[in-house]
Amino acid sequence: MRKMSWAFLRDLLSGVNKYSTGIGRIWVAVVFLFRLLVYLAAAENIWKHEHDEFECNIKQPGCENVCFDHFFPVSHIRLWALQLIMVSTPSLLVVFHVAYRENREKRHNQKLYKNTRKTDGGLLCTYLISLILKTGLEIFFLVLFYKLYNGFKIPRLVKCDIKPCPNTVDCYISKPTEKMIFLYFLVATSCLCIILNLSELSYLLFKYSIKCYLKRHMKNKQGSKAIAVNQNSS
């Protein structure tokens, strides 16, 4: 089931790549190569037995479980997986919009768009909304990571005094350096994706503004020519 989910995400990213700008294709490459493949190939195995490898210097029943739940309310790797799925989901809006255009042409049995996959008109709005959603979700998950784990760090030792622990106990986290490296990598790739999304958003808005300005300029020019012709003929 998990393999099917990641295969669906891979197919989704490949599909969106067809409608993306150059910057959008870089975003797809970053998500696929530096996030999805890294998650599947390495990060998942590092956090695989994190609960079993979390040790406290006391054998009080329930103490380790309570301390682990307190310091790690959600597993880093599960939150990372959720982030990957959520930031990729807005791309479905673009895929659905293109499918709507194609089905509309089939239903009316005529050419309604110059190119059903060209990002203009309503599809451009959908694409911009998807970029805003992706950026918002990236920022939300970064803030969530920071709040849940009290910063972007993996301590080697945590002190726990939560019941049923009889006193303050020392708890040790397995592979903290390795986990820290992957956590920094996660934050860096998230920030890179935010920059790419904002760059693409700015590029599309700038391109649309220039297009509107030129269109308005041409209309004014044609209007001036028409007035001049009328004046000369009169």
Side-chain angles (χ1 to χ4, degrees):
M1 182 69 181
R2 185 183 62 195
K3 288 182 179 179
M4 287 177 63
S5 299
W6 291 126
F8 168 75
L9 185 59
R10 180 198 61 205
D11 294 339
L12 170 62
L13 293 173
S14 300
V16 172
N17 202 34
K18 300 173 187 176
Y19 323 121
S20 301
T21 63
I23 301 172
R25 291 189 181 96
I26 296 172
W27 177 86
V28 171
V30 169
V31 171
F32 184 72
L33 293 174
F34 297 108
R35 298 180 79 173
L36 182 57
L37 289 185
V38 167
Y39 174 89
L40 293 173
E44 193 174 24
N45 291 326
I46 293 171
W47 271 271
K48 193 172 184 180
H49 303 292
E50 60 176 330
H51 188 278
D52 296 334
E53 294 172 347
F54 182 82
E55 295 182 356
C56 297
N57 61 353
I58 193 170
K59 296 302 178 184
Q60 176 74 23
C63 181
E64 281 189 2
N65 287 335
V66 170
C67 291
F68 182 84
D69 183 66
H70 174 72
F71 289 106
F72 303 103
V74 181
S75 169
H76 285 82
I77 203 68
R78 291 189 181 92
L79 197 56
W80 193 359
L82 181 62
Q83 181 183 10
L84 270 173
I85 293 167
M86 293 301 291
V87 299
S88 302
T89 300
S91 299
L92 278 173
L93 295 173
V94 180
V95 176
F96 288 153
H97 197 130
V98 172
Y100 165 76
R101 280 184 166 189
E102 291 173 348
N103 289 332
R104 191 162 176 256
E105 284 193 342
K106 285 180 183 178
R107 196 166 60 248
H108 289 84
N109 198 25
Q110 59 178 320
K111 193 74 175 173
L112 300 173
Y113 307 95
K114 290 180 181 179
N115 185 350
T116 56
R117 296 183 178 187
K118 187 177 179 182
T119 50
D120 58 0
L123 185 58
L124 176 61
C125 291
T126 303
Y127 197 91
L128 292 174
I129 290 169
S130 74
L131 286 174
I132 293 168
L133 288 174
K134 284 190 287 188
T135 305
L137 286 167
E138 291 279 16
I139 294 170
F140 169 77
F141 274 98
L142 282 178
V143 173
L144 185 62
F145 264 101
Y146 189 87
K147 293 288 185 183
L148 278 177
Y149 307 118
N150 195 28
F152 300 116
K153 59 183 183 292
I154 305 287
R156 296 177 180 274
L157 168 71
V158 291
K159 294 187 177 292
C160 179
D161 57 357
I162 303 169
K163 292 183 179 180
C165 299
N167 48 43
T168 300
V169 297
D170 294 335
C171 297
Y172 301 90
I173 299 167
S174 66
K175 297 175 279 191
T177 304
E178 197 172 13
K179 288 178 179 177
M180 181 76 81
I181 291 168
F182 275 94
L183 185 59
Y184 284 155
F185 184 83
L186 160 67
V187 174
T189 52
S190 292
C191 291
L192 178 58
C193 285
I194 290 170
I195 292 168
L196 289 170
N197 286 331
L198 291 175
S199 299
E200 189 175 17
L201 185 64
S202 301
Y203 166 75
L204 288 171
L205 288 173
F206 178 75
K207 186 180 176 182
Y208 180 72
S209 300
I210 293 296
K211 186 179 177 181
C212 289
Y213 171 77
L214 291 174
K215 195 173 181 180
R216 193 180 302 114
H217 180 71
M218 288 300 294
K219 278 185 178 180
N220 292 337
K221 198 172 181 181
Q222 287 173 359
S224 299
K225 283 184 179 179
I227 291 170
V229 169
N230 290 333
Q231 286 175 349
N232 290 333
S233 61
S234 60

